[in-house]
Amino acid sequence: MGADLFSIGRSSLRTSKKSLSTTSHNIANANTDGYSRQRVTAETNAPIQSGKNVFGSGVNVKSVKRVHDRLVEKKLNTSISQKSYDQARTDQLSNVEEIFNEINSEGMNKILNRFFNSFRELSNQPENEVVRTLVRDNANIVIKDFKRLSQSVTDVKNRLDSQIEATVNDANSLGGTITELNKEITRLENMGGETGDLRDQRDTAVRKLSEFFKINSYEDEKGQYVVNIVGGGSLVAGGSLNKLRLGRVAGDEVGSYKDEARSEIFFEAGGSTTPITSKVASGEIKALVETRNNEISFLRGQLDEMAHGLVHVTNAIHRKGYVNKKIPVDQNGNIIDKKDPNFFNLPMKNKITGINFFKEPLDLKQASQYIELSDEVKDDLDNIVTGLEPNSPGDNRIAVAISKVQHEKVLGQGSKTFEETYLQSIGKIGLETSKSKINEEQSKGILAQAKSIKERLSGVSIDEEATNMVKYQQAYEASAKMIRTADEMFDSVLGMMR
Amino acid sequence: MSRVSEGSSIHAIQYSIAKTKEKLEDLQLRGSNLKQVQRPSDDPVGNMEILSIRSKRIDNDQFSRNASVAKAQLSFTENAIEELTELMVKAKELAISQSSNIFDPAIRKSVAKEISQLHGQAISIGNRRLGNKYIFGGFKTLSKPFDENGKYLGDNEQTKIEVGKDVFVPITFSGKNVFFEKNDSTLTPRSPLDNSPFQELENQFEIDPNNEPHFKENETEINRLPASKEKAKFPEDGQSSIFAELKRLENALVTNNHEIIQDILPGLDASIDRLIEVRTTIGSTINKVDNSVNTIEKQNITNADYKSKIEDADVAELFTDLTRQQNVLNATYKSSAQLMNNNLMKYIN
């Protein structure tokens, strides 16, 4: 009888102590990322039947379980993917947008405008050397700004590429972590061990992975934990990992422009050549790849088209004119040209017409990066031509024609002016950015909601733990008292024997 | 009753503070320069319009500058032609006074001298310069258009500049048009873009024929000014000039040939008429420049107004919003502080 009291007391002490230590574990992890509070499930021991009476035999700890809901977890992961996608896109696009922001500073639009207007000024006084300096200076500013924009866009592209590479590596190493955890959890569970904390760790890894991709994870019928990239394929299946790799594929047509290469994500297994990027539903990697392959390539294409168009059209007009110098003519007013044997004895040994303003030939690809003044114009201001006829210092028709290019639809197969092309490009980026900003705000809200649902369910409440602590402490004290009572009872029985 | 955990309440606090602060920061940025549009994404379409209005403004500033250049040059040319007209009127009066066969040889001699002086004056007017530019040389602005005998060395071109979008006006009048008899065979209207390389680009892009600058108003007057395609060379035979007339008059006076003097009179009249016509053309061109300047100024005002509507922040609204957001933030701080600093542990000993 007494022995029963002892064993009931002992089971009660043990249970209370386990509960207290779980409470302490909860409090310790109150601020641990991804921690789910744990609860002790106690169970009454099998009762002992003795004759007609049934005696209870105490309590035992059945299990320690974490409070967790798979659906809540899934919703949280989905909103993380969406938010990461929107945030990464907004961040990148805002960067790009800032390069083209002309509201509070000078930008290409103004600079190009000044360039054309400097030719207009030159048409006022084609004889004037000072205005030619102005034209050349403005052309140099245009060149500098094309290079600045081109360089900035390339920088963003390179940064995006290295960022994509880093995230792919992160995703692979997270996949590795999940694989290891899978193995460990299976091993422990086969031995009947507690796996709550490991499962929390695995959930945290999956949540982290959700930042990169939209993830669907589940346990299949064989008890294997599978992590799927939604739209892509399975990254982890139980203990095996299907690694990702970053690859380049030949560029698609972007407008009338062919970019050098697109960045795409592939599965490493079997040397797969099908990129998964476009099929992936959301996540940071999709945002990075998308921005790099679409907006950045588009902008590069537009800049190159503009630079190429400017060089081409300006040169075509400029070549028709004659230099602002005395050109030797014979008595009939015809120009003495190079075929004339006397030509090389004349002071005019250099070109008098057919002079390019910008350097040619220029490939459309990377035109904005390599735009440059022609050597002739660099060397001698008088090689900036204004006149359509030789020896006509007052002839301004070339300058007028170049200034009129400003309002002509010379780009996009004759559908857009320079300004329209440029402003539409900025407009497109602005529109994408503003769309992405709105999406980001929305998905941030949804994520906050999902996080709060998850935290309400699985998060530790100090108040609750405090109550539990008092409760378990009292139970522990009561059990201890119970054992002492049993001891005293035992002593009295022993005292009877004396 | 929904459960509240440490995580969920901390998260709620963080979210609401971050959101309020973000809004406040945006408002403060707008408040710092009073602009509604800070970056393209704030108003993608508005941003495009702002930039395009700015370009128009730069264009218009340039057009205004061109207009002043045009006006200065045109007035200068007008003055020169006015002097020339007076000179010719004087020559005509002298010619009339000497046109009868009754004459005093001494007076004729002195009149002949006077005419010779007028000839010299006319040449100096023909070689007049604005700055370093000869105004009557056509495109040959840096070399003397007339030699001492009145032989024309310039060409028959007109410099035209743009004083408003697609509005071109001539700013020079070649000596050929002013000093020489009209020659109808050389009449061809042309715009500065005709025959220019600009048109050759048509293969690469379409030029809307309606956009091509032409001189619709005053077309008759301007077109009457010949712009021949012939270069440098001008056969003077068969085409009389002011200098030739004056020279002829002088010779007639010296040789006492009153019939020739009478014969010269209609030629002098025609020259005076032509000069008056050129002055009328210049006058109407100046008018056209003034009109264009007016249009530009009106456009600038309308554009500035429109731009301000898109670009500038509504100050009253902005600062009301700013104050309100500040209050929201303060309230959030206060309530968060209370939530964060309290739990049951405090009361358990």
Side-chain angles (χ1 to χ4, degrees):
Chain A
M1 208 45 214
D4 271 339
L5 269 181
F6 275 123
S7 84
I8 291 175
R10 200 174 59 236
S11 78
S12 167
L13 263 185
R14 202 170 50 220
T15 307
S16 301
K17 200 180 156 199
K18 183 69 191 167
S19 299
L20 262 177
S21 75
T22 304
T23 301
S24 155
H25 187 54
N26 281 341
I27 293 173
N29 285 296
N31 293 321
T32 306
D33 201 28
Y35 178 78
S36 308
R37 68 195 160 106
Q38 296 179 355
R39 281 286 165 266
V40 173
T41 320
E43 189 182 54
T44 36
N45 276 341
I48 297 161
Q49 197 153 12
S50 163
K52 279 182 183 170
N53 299 321
V54 177
F55 300 96
S57 64
V59 65
N60 77 64
V61 175
K62 191 191 171 203
S63 64
V64 179
K65 280 236 164 86
R66 59 178 186 145
V67 180
H68 175 78
D69 186 324
R70 226 171 52 80
L71 287 174
V72 169
E73 184 74 23
K74 195 171 171 182
K75 187 169 168 3
L76 176 61
N77 287 346
T78 309
S79 21
I80 286 176
S81 307
Q82 189 58 45
K83 183 241 166 189
S84 301
Y85 171 81
D86 290 329
Q87 190 172 15
R89 215 166 137 69
T90 306
D91 286 354
Q92 298 306 330
L93 286 173
S94 303
N95 265 338
V96 178
E97 167 186 64
E98 220 39 61
I99 299 171
F100 291 89
N101 189 0
E102 225 171 287
I103 289 286
N104 294 319
S105 58
E106 299 221 331
M108 180 53 94
N109 199 46
K110 201 172 192 176
I111 286 167
L112 210 53
N113 204 291
R114 285 235 198 83
F115 169 73
F116 286 121
N117 274 310
S118 69
F119 273 101
R120 215 160 263 143
E121 182 71 39
L122 184 60
S123 75
N124 286 347
Q125 24 192 340
E127 304 89 352
N128 196 331
E129 185 87 351
V130 181
V131 185
R132 284 191 158 73
T133 319
L134 179 85
V135 169
R136 192 167 66 181
D137 288 350
N138 274 308
N140 273 324
I141 295 170
V142 169
I143 289 169
K144 220 169 110 190
D145 211 51
F146 264 124
K147 291 188 168 171
R148 170 186 76 89
L149 290 176
S150 167
Q151 192 56 47
S152 307
V153 171
T154 310
D155 285 350
V156 172
K157 190 191 85 183
N158 292 340
R159 209 171 53 223
L160 276 169
D161 273 341
S162 58
Q163 217 169 327
I164 295 168
E165 196 158 0
T167 34
V168 167
N169 288 341
D170 281 359
N172 280 337
S173 81
L174 278 170
T177 311
I178 294 169
T179 322
E180 291 309 310
L181 284 167
N182 277 349
K183 288 180 192 157
E184 187 65 15
I185 287 168
T186 319
R187 195 180 62 83
L188 276 176
E189 278 178 350
N190 286 342
M191 290 169 23
E194 279 171 27
T195 54
D197 290 343
L198 289 182
R199 279 171 182 268
D200 272 352
Q201 280 178 30
R202 185 171 66 187
D203 284 348
T204 310
V206 172
R207 207 172 304 142
K208 202 102 185 71
L209 203 56
S210 295
E211 287 175 13
F212 303 146
F213 297 107
K214 184 174 179 183
I215 294 292
N216 183 21
S217 63
Y218 55 90
E219 268 177 50
D220 68 7
E221 58 273 22
K222 287 176 229 150
Q224 260 194 340
Y225 189 75
V226 179
V227 176
N228 266 342
I229 296 170
V230 175
S234 86
L235 182 71
V236 173
S240 68
L241 168 70
N242 190 2
K243 275 196 172 183
L244 295 168
R245 73 177 171 86
L246 170 66
R248 304 248 190 282
V249 291
D252 277 4
E253 296 273 332
V254 181
S256 58
Y257 180 77
K258 211 167 162 124
D259 187 28
E260 62 267 39
R262 295 164 66 86
S263 293
E264 298 281 4
I265 312 286
F266 300 92
F267 274 119
E268 245 175 31
S272 167
T273 50
T274 326
I276 61 165
T277 346
S278 57
K279 294 178 219 145
V280 171
S282 55
E284 187 181 343
I285 289 188
K286 184 185 169 72
L288 297 178
V289 173
E290 212 175 75
T291 311
R292 184 216 176 277
N293 288 348
N294 299 341
E295 278 78 17
I296 299 296
S297 290
F298 165 78
L299 280 175
R300 270 213 69 110
Q302 293 286 298
L303 283 175
D304 286 347
E305 191 186 342
M306 279 174 69
H308 187 259
L310 183 70
V311 168
H312 185 67
V313 176
T314 311
N315 280 351
I317 298 173
H318 198 262
R319 276 198 299 267
K320 300 283 171 188
Y322 286 88
V323 292
N324 182 36
K325 283 177 189 161
K326 195 122 188 75
I327 296 162
V329 287
D330 62 18
Q331 57 269 38
N332 297 323
N334 294 322
I335 300 163
I336 301 172
D337 63 8
K338 278 191 175 170
K339 284 170 215 147
D340 194 303
N342 291 327
F343 182 81
F344 288 99
N345 302 326
L346 293 165
M348 282 298 311
K349 281 186 188 162
N350 297 320
K351 268 197 207 170
I352 51 168
T353 182
I355 294 167
N356 283 325
F357 189 81
F358 292 106
K359 212 169 237 167
E360 288 233 45
L362 192 65
D363 195 9
L364 174 58
K365 204 189 265 179
Q366 298 180 317
S368 58
Q369 201 175 333
Y370 295 114
I371 182 170
E372 208 64 69
L373 282 182
S374 68
D375 291 336
E376 289 93 338
V377 171
K378 246 188 229 167
D379 291 345
D380 190 350
L381 282 172
D382 284 329
N383 283 332
I384 297 176
V385 313
T386 51
L388 193 52
E389 269 162 43
N391 292 327
S392 300
D395 190 354
N396 64 356
R397 284 175 294 180
I398 296 287
V400 168
I402 292 177
S403 77
K404 287 308 284 177
V405 170
Q406 182 191 13
H407 298 298
E408 281 306 322
K409 297 186 186 302
V410 294
L411 295 181
Q413 275 96 44
S415 65
K416 283 180 247 168
T417 64
F418 282 102
E419 180 165 303
E420 280 162 4
T421 308
Y422 185 69
L423 291 187
Q424 279 171 19
S425 310
I426 304 182
K428 192 180 150 151
I429 299 300
L431 216 61
E432 286 297 325
T433 315
S434 96
K435 222 160 64 185
S436 176
K437 273 184 182 164
I438 294 167
N439 289 343
E440 190 196 358
E441 202 172 320
Q442 201 178 22
S443 59
K444 263 186 180 165
I446 292 172
L447 175 63
Q449 212 179 13
K451 258 191 186 163
S452 125
I453 291 173
K454 154 95 184 162
E455 281 296 333
R456 279 175 186 197
L457 179 78
S458 305
V460 176
S461 159
I462 300 280
D463 289 349
E464 206 175 273
E465 300 306 326
T467 333
N468 282 343
M469 192 176 75
V470 174
K471 186 172 87 180
Y472 294 133
Q473 196 188 355
Q474 282 172 355
Y476 189 87
E477 276 168 16
S479 319
K481 216 159 201 166
M482 200 59 232
I483 289 173
R484 203 168 60 216
T485 311
D487 183 40
E488 280 166 8
M489 282 164 70
F490 199 61
D491 275 354
S492 347
V493 175
L494 285 182
M496 274 168 28
M497 309 282 278
R498 239 183 297 159
Chain B
M1 190 191 82
S2 83
R3 196 174 165 273
V4 174
S5 71
E6 298 314 295
S8 74
S9 62
I10 295 279
H11 185 70
I13 290 167
Q14 281 171 346
Y15 179 71
S16 54
I17 290 181
K19 205 173 166 182
T20 319
K21 273 196 150 171
E22 199 181 319
K23 276 190 185 149
L24 198 59
E25 191 189 84
D26 186 50
L27 284 171
Q28 241 147 12
L29 195 65
R30 278 177 202 188
S32 72
N33 59 7
L34 295 180
K35 274 182 184 165
Q36 186 70 25
V37 184
Q38 296 288 346
R39 51 187 82 77
S41 59
D42 288 344
D43 182 356
V45 179
N47 180 62
M48 280 168 78
E49 288 185 43
I50 291 167
L51 293 187
S52 126
I53 288 173
R54 283 189 190 170
S55 310
K56 276 189 197 127
R57 179 64 208 230
I58 298 177
D59 286 358
N60 281 346
D61 287 351
Q62 182 64 49
F63 289 140
S64 307
R65 224 168 15 248
N66 287 13
S68 342
V69 170
K71 270 176 85 172
Q73 178 121 11
L74 287 169
S75 327
F76 189 78
T77 310
E78 194 185 13
N79 287 341
I81 292 177
E82 194 180 344
E83 274 179 50
L84 195 62
T85 320
E86 279 164 15
L87 184 149
M88 288 306 283
V89 169
K90 194 166 182 197
K92 190 185 149 194
E93 280 165 0
L94 289 173
I96 290 171
S97 71
Q98 299 300 323
S99 58
S100 70
N101 53 357
I102 307 154
F103 65 94
D104 178 346
I107 291 176
R108 273 227 169 138
K109 213 165 224 168
S110 81
V111 169
K113 219 170 192 174
E114 206 169 330
I115 294 292
S116 162
Q117 265 171 16
L118 290 178
H119 180 264
Q121 266 180 41
I123 286 182
S124 102
I125 291 174
N127 286 336
R128 189 158 284 184
R129 291 203 284 181
L130 176 61
N132 60 346
K133 285 162 79 171
Y134 290 94
I135 56 173
F136 290 117
F139 283 162
K140 307 267 188 282
T141 49
L142 296 181
S143 49
K144 272 191 184 176
F146 295 99
D147 67 8
E148 67 274 20
N149 298 318
K151 185 171 187 289
Y152 186 56
L153 305 169
D155 57 27
N156 201 11
E157 303 281 358
Q158 268 189 311
T159 303
K160 288 171 184 167
I161 63 177
E162 206 176 3
V163 294
K165 196 182 169 201
D166 295 336
V167 182
F168 284 89
V169 293
I171 57 164
T172 61
F173 292 85
S174 79
K176 187 84 172 162
N177 297 324
V178 176
F179 293 87
F180 286 77
E181 190 185 53
K182 270 185 268 180
N183 184 349
D184 285 341
S185 65
T186 56
L187 289 185
T188 36
R190 63 196 270 204
S191 110
L193 300 185
D194 282 349
N195 297 324
S196 86
F198 196 66
Q199 285 202 322
E200 290 174 28
L201 285 171
E202 265 187 302
N203 301 335
Q204 287 145 44
F205 56 87
E206 291 291 314
I207 295 178
D208 182 1
N210 299 327
N211 275 343
E212 215 180 330
H214 270 303
F215 304 106
K216 297 266 154 35
E217 324 153 35
N218 303 330
E219 199 157 13
T220 44
E221 280 148 311
I222 289 170
N223 286 352
R224 224 174 280 160
L225 295 162
S228 85
K229 289 201 171 98
E230 53 188 310
K231 297 169 191 168
K233 265 192 330 171
F234 290 99
E236 246 115 69
D237 39 321
Q239 208 179 347
S240 170
S241 73
I242 285 175
F243 309 114
E245 280 156 6
L246 291 175
K247 207 79 204 163
R248 235 177 117 207
L249 180 58
E250 189 191 337
N251 286 339
L253 288 167
V254 171
T255 57
N256 288 332
N257 191 336
H258 75 275
E259 273 167 17
I260 294 184
I261 296 177
Q262 280 173 356
D263 194 36
I264 284 169
L265 283 173
L268 290 177
D269 274 336
S271 289
I272 291 167
D273 284 352
R274 192 180 64 242
L275 290 177
I276 289 170
E277 213 176 280
V278 173
R279 279 177 67 192
T280 317
T281 309
I282 293 176
S284 69
T285 311
I286 291 179
N287 266 343
K288 194 172 164 183
V289 174
D290 283 339
N291 281 342
S292 171
V293 169
N294 280 340
T295 317
I296 285 172
E297 274 163 9
K298 267 185 224 148
Q299 213 177 56
N300 280 347
I301 293 168
T302 323
N303 281 345
D305 187 42
Y306 184 48
K307 188 175 135 220
S308 157
K309 271 187 191 137
I310 309 170
E311 191 177 27
D312 294 343
D314 180 338
V315 181
E317 194 186 307
L318 180 71
F319 283 98
T320 322
D321 282 356
L322 203 60
T323 321
R324 203 180 56 214
Q325 282 300 330
Q326 255 154 0
N327 289 340
V328 170
L329 187 63
N330 283 339
T332 317
Y333 280 151
K334 260 184 200 155
S335 61
S336 307
Q338 286 196 334
L339 189 60
M340 282 194 296
N341 287 331
N342 255 333
N343 63 42
L344 187 57
M345 289 294 186
K346 261 191 176 169
Y347 304 95
I348 301 173
N349 298 313

